[in-house]
Amino acid sequence: MSDQNHETMSIDPNVDPYGYLGMVRNSDGSITRLQKPLVPIDTSNDLSHLVVTKDITINSSKNTWARIILPRELLHSTTSTPKLPLVIYFHGGGFIVATVDSPSFQGLYASIASEVPAVVVSIEYRQAPEHRLPAAYDDCMEALHWIKNKPDELLSNHADFSKCFLMGTSAGGNVVYHVGLCAAESCDNLKPLEIKGLILNQPFFGGSERTQSEVRLANDKVLPPIISDIMWDLGLPEGANRDHEYSNPMVGIESNPNLLDQVKLLGWKMLVTGCDGDPLIDRQVDLVNVLKELGVQVEGSFTQGFYHGSEIIDPLKAKEFSLLVKELISHF
């Protein structure tokens, strides 16, 4: 590890939040990106040998693309194998950092693909503040229409388009929620893609008023509220606060009590995961409770300890999460 990398990883987000994110805030409010922020990676259980990957452009004008990940054994099987469920994954990073290619996500892709097993397609979307929300939602919705046309033989040969699940971690979980709502309203236009469920892994939500878990974990070393605030400040539409519906799902539900009707009508299942070492847990639990009250088929899986993003850092947590996903998918 270089001295520069070591220095970046040791930055306290509560002391130098912009440095922690690999950027500098300029006097005019703009930012300058210095380098990609680093997440410590545990390579002791590398699963890359279990999968095959392929990158394909979605929209060159937006520089959006996708990575297809599938079990290696599929391509080496000497017998005919059934098609696998299709998991469309949206990565995290608070809408402002990280990409499909970030090392921290590769282990989770491989774990999902090999443990479920499934064909995983991870979507690269545009980042804020250069492209504020709803750009990420628009890009991911465009990706669904791109996938439905089976743009590659790996998808047409090995993915079961009738068993599709949208999954995302952190900001990607937020994307799953909003893109899922949009997809539910236009499901006929997405065929032969048939979405069966939405999987929100430690979803990134916010609000102007601090929750108890945000107060309790105000000095968290992974995602303290000060970092979330910056992410929302850079990610939301100009002039919006954290009670915008993009960040606070309760606002959207309160303004439109029928918002989830189509999700219920389609019979989609939802899984929301979290842990009490994550400042965001109260928002995640509240969302599950409200969705249950609305009659949505939703399950919350919340554990003690750990931290935000544990599934993309800890291989054992990645496997544990993959088995949760496998259990959900097995019902279809």
Side-chain angles (χ1 to χ4, degrees), residues 83-101:
K83 292 186 176 182
L84 298 180
L86 175 60
V87 174
I88 301 175
Y89 182 82
F90 308 122
H91 67 77
F95 300 107
I96 64 172
V97 295
T99 71
V100 166
D101 204 33

mmCIF file of all heavy atoms in Angstrom, residues 83-101:
data_model
loop_
_atom_site.group_PDB
_atom_site.id
_atom_site.type_symbol
_atom_site.label_atom_id
_atom_site.label_comp_id
_atom_site.label_asym_id
_atom_site.label_seq_id
_atom_site.Cartn_x
_atom_site.Cartn_y
_atom_site.Cartn_z
ATOM 1 N N LYS A 83 -31.761 -21.799 -17.292
ATOM 2 C CA LYS A 83 -31.401 -20.387 -17.158
ATOM 3 C C LYS A 83 -31.517 -19.951 -15.702
ATOM 4 O O LYS A 83 -32.326 -20.487 -14.939
ATOM 5 C CB LYS A 83 -32.294 -19.536 -18.056
ATOM 6 C CG LYS A 83 -32.040 -19.760 -19.539
ATOM 7 C CD LYS A 83 -32.845 -18.798 -20.404
ATOM 8 C CE LYS A 83 -32.503 -18.978 -21.877
ATOM 9 N NZ LYS A 83 -33.236 -18.027 -22.748
ATOM 10 N N LEU A 84 -30.694 -18.981 -15.335
ATOM 11 C CA LEU A 84 -30.628 -18.518 -13.949
ATOM 12 C C LEU A 84 -31.419 -17.228 -13.756
ATOM 13 O O LEU A 84 -31.597 -16.445 -14.699
ATOM 14 C CB LEU A 84 -29.170 -18.272 -13.557
ATOM 15 C CG LEU A 84 -28.229 -19.482 -13.592
ATOM 16 C CD1 LEU A 84 -26.835 -19.064 -13.168
ATOM 17 C CD2 LEU A 84 -28.754 -20.597 -12.693
ATOM 18 N N PRO A 85 -31.876 -16.971 -12.518
ATOM 19 C CA PRO A 85 -32.526 -15.693 -12.223
ATOM 20 C C PRO A 85 -31.613 -14.529 -12.595
ATOM 21 O O PRO A 85 -30.382 -14.650 -12.540
ATOM 22 C CB PRO A 85 -32.761 -15.754 -10.711
ATOM 23 C CG PRO A 85 -32.747 -17.205 -10.376
ATOM 24 C CD PRO A 85 -31.792 -17.848 -11.334
ATOM 25 N N LEU A 86 -32.219 -13.420 -12.950
ATOM 26 C CA LEU A 86 -31.477 -12.228 -13.361
ATOM 27 C C LEU A 86 -31.534 -11.190 -12.246
ATOM 28 O O LEU A 86 -32.618 -10.743 -11.851
ATOM 29 C CB LEU A 86 -32.088 -11.659 -14.651
ATOM 30 C CG LEU A 86 -31.522 -10.350 -15.177
ATOM 31 C CD1 LEU A 86 -30.038 -10.471 -15.496
ATOM 32 C CD2 LEU A 86 -32.304 -9.896 -16.419
ATOM 33 N N VAL A 87 -30.378 -10.836 -11.715
ATOM 34 C CA VAL A 87 -30.286 -9.813 -10.671
ATOM 35 C C VAL A 87 -29.653 -8.565 -11.281
ATOM 36 O O VAL A 87 -28.494 -8.589 -11.706
ATOM 37 C CB VAL A 87 -29.443 -10.299 -9.473
ATOM 38 C CG1 VAL A 87 -29.236 -9.157 -8.472
ATOM 39 C CG2 VAL A 87 -30.115 -11.488 -8.793
ATOM 40 N N ILE A 88 -30.417 -7.479 -11.341
ATOM 41 C CA ILE A 88 -29.909 -6.207 -11.852
ATOM 42 C C ILE A 88 -29.490 -5.377 -10.648
ATOM 43 O O ILE A 88 -30.314 -5.049 -9.788
ATOM 44 C CB ILE A 88 -30.964 -5.485 -12.704
ATOM 45 C CG1 ILE A 88 -31.376 -6.377 -13.878
ATOM 46 C CG2 ILE A 88 -30.427 -4.149 -13.206
ATOM 47 C CD1 ILE A 88 -32.515 -5.805 -14.724
ATOM 48 N N TYR A 89 -28.198 -5.070 -10.586
ATOM 49 C CA TYR A 89 -27.605 -4.469 -9.390
ATOM 50 C C TYR A 89 -27.218 -3.014 -9.623
ATOM 51 O O TYR A 89 -26.657 -2.661 -10.665
ATOM 52 C CB TYR A 89 -26.356 -5.267 -8.982
ATOM 53 C CG TYR A 89 -25.681 -4.756 -7.734
ATOM 54 C CD1 TYR A 89 -26.154 -5.108 -6.480
ATOM 55 C CD2 TYR A 89 -24.568 -3.925 -7.805
ATOM 56 C CE1 TYR A 89 -25.541 -4.644 -5.321
ATOM 57 C CE2 TYR A 89 -23.941 -3.459 -6.656
ATOM 58 C CZ TYR A 89 -24.441 -3.821 -5.415
ATOM 59 O OH TYR A 89 -23.831 -3.352 -4.279
ATOM 60 N N PHE A 90 -27.526 -2.187 -8.622
ATOM 61 C CA PHE A 90 -27.148 -0.770 -8.641
ATOM 62 C C PHE A 90 -26.188 -0.523 -7.474
ATOM 63 O O PHE A 90 -26.528 -0.776 -6.319
ATOM 64 C CB PHE A 90 -28.387 0.126 -8.525
ATOM 65 C CG PHE A 90 -29.464 -0.205 -9.525
ATOM 66 C CD1 PHE A 90 -30.742 -0.553 -9.106
ATOM 67 C CD2 PHE A 90 -29.199 -0.183 -10.895
ATOM 68 C CE1 PHE A 90 -31.738 -0.861 -10.020
ATOM 69 C CE2 PHE A 90 -30.190 -0.488 -11.822
ATOM 70 C CZ PHE A 90 -31.464 -0.838 -11.385
ATOM 71 N N HIS A 91 -24.989 -0.039 -7.787
ATOM 72 C CA HIS A 91 -23.956 0.118 -6.756
ATOM 73 C C HIS A 91 -24.210 1.334 -5.866
ATOM 74 O O HIS A 91 -24.994 2.223 -6.186
ATOM 75 C CB HIS A 91 -22.569 0.215 -7.405
ATOM 76 C CG HIS A 91 -22.354 1.452 -8.226
ATOM 77 N ND1 HIS A 91 -22.097 2.681 -7.663
ATOM 78 C CD2 HIS A 91 -22.349 1.653 -9.575
ATOM 79 C CE1 HIS A 91 -21.940 3.584 -8.615
ATOM 80 N NE2 HIS A 91 -22.096 2.987 -9.787
ATOM 81 N N GLY A 92 -23.499 1.362 -4.748
ATOM 82 C CA GLY A 92 -23.598 2.473 -3.809
ATOM 83 C C GLY A 92 -22.533 3.524 -4.065
ATOM 84 O O GLY A 92 -21.830 3.503 -5.070
ATOM 85 N N GLY A 93 -22.422 4.465 -3.110
ATOM 86 C CA GLY A 93 -21.464 5.557 -3.228
ATOM 87 C C GLY A 93 -22.088 6.915 -3.017
ATOM 88 O O GLY A 93 -21.480 7.945 -3.352
ATOM 89 N N GLY A 94 -23.305 6.927 -2.438
ATOM 90 C CA GLY A 94 -23.951 8.205 -2.132
ATOM 91 C C GLY A 94 -24.245 9.062 -3.335
ATOM 92 O O GLY A 94 -24.383 10.281 -3.212
ATOM 93 N N PHE A 95 -24.298 8.456 -4.508
ATOM 94 C CA PHE A 95 -24.547 9.115 -5.794
ATOM 95 C C PHE A 95 -23.371 9.969 -6.270
ATOM 96 O O PHE A 95 -23.425 10.540 -7.359
ATOM 97 C CB PHE A 95 -25.814 9.994 -5.747
ATOM 98 C CG PHE A 95 -27.056 9.241 -5.414
ATOM 99 C CD1 PHE A 95 -27.664 9.378 -4.172
ATOM 100 C CD2 PHE A 95 -27.623 8.378 -6.330
ATOM 101 C CE1 PHE A 95 -28.808 8.672 -3.864
ATOM 102 C CE2 PHE A 95 -28.766 7.655 -6.028
ATOM 103 C CZ PHE A 95 -29.365 7.809 -4.787
ATOM 104 N N ILE A 96 -22.303 10.040 -5.464
ATOM 105 C CA ILE A 96 -21.215 10.956 -5.835
ATOM 106 C C ILE A 96 -19.858 10.268 -5.988
ATOM 107 O O ILE A 96 -18.944 10.844 -6.581
ATOM 108 C CB ILE A 96 -21.076 12.121 -4.830
ATOM 109 C CG1 ILE A 96 -20.688 11.609 -3.440
ATOM 110 C CG2 ILE A 96 -22.368 12.933 -4.765
ATOM 111 C CD1 ILE A 96 -20.338 12.734 -2.456
ATOM 112 N N VAL A 97 -19.690 9.054 -5.438
ATOM 113 C CA VAL A 97 -18.425 8.329 -5.566
ATOM 114 C C VAL A 97 -18.725 6.871 -5.922
ATOM 115 O O VAL A 97 -19.863 6.428 -5.865
ATOM 116 C CB VAL A 97 -17.599 8.375 -4.268
ATOM 117 C CG1 VAL A 97 -17.161 9.800 -3.948
ATOM 118 C CG2 VAL A 97 -18.377 7.788 -3.088
ATOM 119 N N ALA A 98 -17.686 6.146 -6.297
ATOM 120 C CA ALA A 98 -17.732 4.712 -6.607
ATOM 121 C C ALA A 98 -18.314 4.459 -7.996
ATOM 122 O O ALA A 98 -19.065 5.272 -8.542
ATOM 123 C CB ALA A 98 -18.504 3.924 -5.556
ATOM 124 N N THR A 99 -17.927 3.320 -8.557
ATOM 125 C CA THR A 99 -18.393 2.901 -9.873
ATOM 126 C C THR A 99 -18.610 1.392 -9.856
ATOM 127 O O THR A 99 -18.270 0.712 -8.888
ATOM 128 C CB THR A 99 -17.362 3.230 -10.979
ATOM 129 O OG1 THR A 99 -16.227 2.348 -10.834
ATOM 130 C CG2 THR A 99 -16.900 4.682 -10.916
ATOM 131 N N VAL A 100 -19.158 0.882 -10.939
ATOM 132 C CA VAL A 100 -19.302 -0.567 -11.105
ATOM 133 C C VAL A 100 -17.958 -1.259 -10.912
ATOM 134 O O VAL A 100 -17.878 -2.363 -10.368
ATOM 135 C CB VAL A 100 -19.860 -0.891 -12.514
ATOM 136 C CG1 VAL A 100 -19.698 -2.371 -12.849
ATOM 137 C CG2 VAL A 100 -21.325 -0.477 -12.619
ATOM 138 N N ASP A 101 -16.899 -0.595 -11.329
ATOM 139 C CA ASP A 101 -15.558 -1.174 -11.342
ATOM 140 C C ASP A 101 -14.831 -1.059 -10.001
ATOM 141 O O ASP A 101 -13.726 -1.565 -9.855
ATOM 142 C CB ASP A 101 -14.726 -0.487 -12.436
ATOM 143 C CG ASP A 101 -13.580 -1.361 -12.920
ATOM 144 O OD1 ASP A 101 -13.752 -2.589 -12.931
ATOM 145 O OD2 ASP A 101 -12.530 -0.814 -13.286
#
